[in-house]
Amino acid sequence: MSPYLMSSTDLAVLSDADTATVSSLAARRRSSITVAQAEQLAADRLAVSLLSEFRAAWSVGDRDAMSAVMLAAIDLDRSAPGAPRLMDEIHGIQYLAAA
């Protein structure tokens, strides 16, 4: 939301968050993780979320949602070429297991 559309009370509440304190556990966790590790964790969470979303769409036959997830998975795979490919996981869901 644009700050120009917010009331002065809403804007004051928003700016209060800038000076909020965090717990010592959160501060310690942030200090012990690198930016690269944080980005990798975020990518892993995104991959898990996309895979869950694909499974849900596949179970009900929603091809539009499946296509959207596959496009996002392709983008994720391109952004991390050395990581395990999410599209391989998605293809594994679509094909029946060999007997």
Side-chain angles (χ1 to χ4, degrees):
M1 173 180 254
S2 171
Y4 301 108
L5 300 175
M6 298 177 80
S7 69
S8 59
T9 308
D10 292 338
L11 195 54
V13 169
L14 182 63
S15 65
D16 284 345
D18 292 340
T19 59
T21 59
V22 295
S23 70
S24 61
L25 179 62
R28 189 176 12 198
R29 188 179 314 134
R30 286 183 187 163
S31 68
S32 67
I33 191 168
T34 65
V35 173
Q37 290 171 331
E39 288 175 349
Q40 183 60 44
L41 289 172
D44 291 345
R45 284 193 298 270
L46 177 60
V48 169
S49 175
L50 287 173
L51 195 56
S52 298
E53 190 174 337
F54 183 84
R55 284 180 183 154
W58 184 69
S59 68
V60 295
D62 186 354
R63 295 202 178 270
D64 291 335
M66 289 167 53
S67 297
V69 170
M70 289 174 80
L71 290 174
I74 290 169
D75 287 341
L76 184 64
D77 287 343
R78 284 185 183 162
S79 69
R85 292 177 26 94
L86 182 58
M87 281 304 296
D88 292 341
E89 293 289 330
I90 288 174
H91 287 302
I93 292 172
Q94 290 180 328
Y95 299 118
L96 295 175

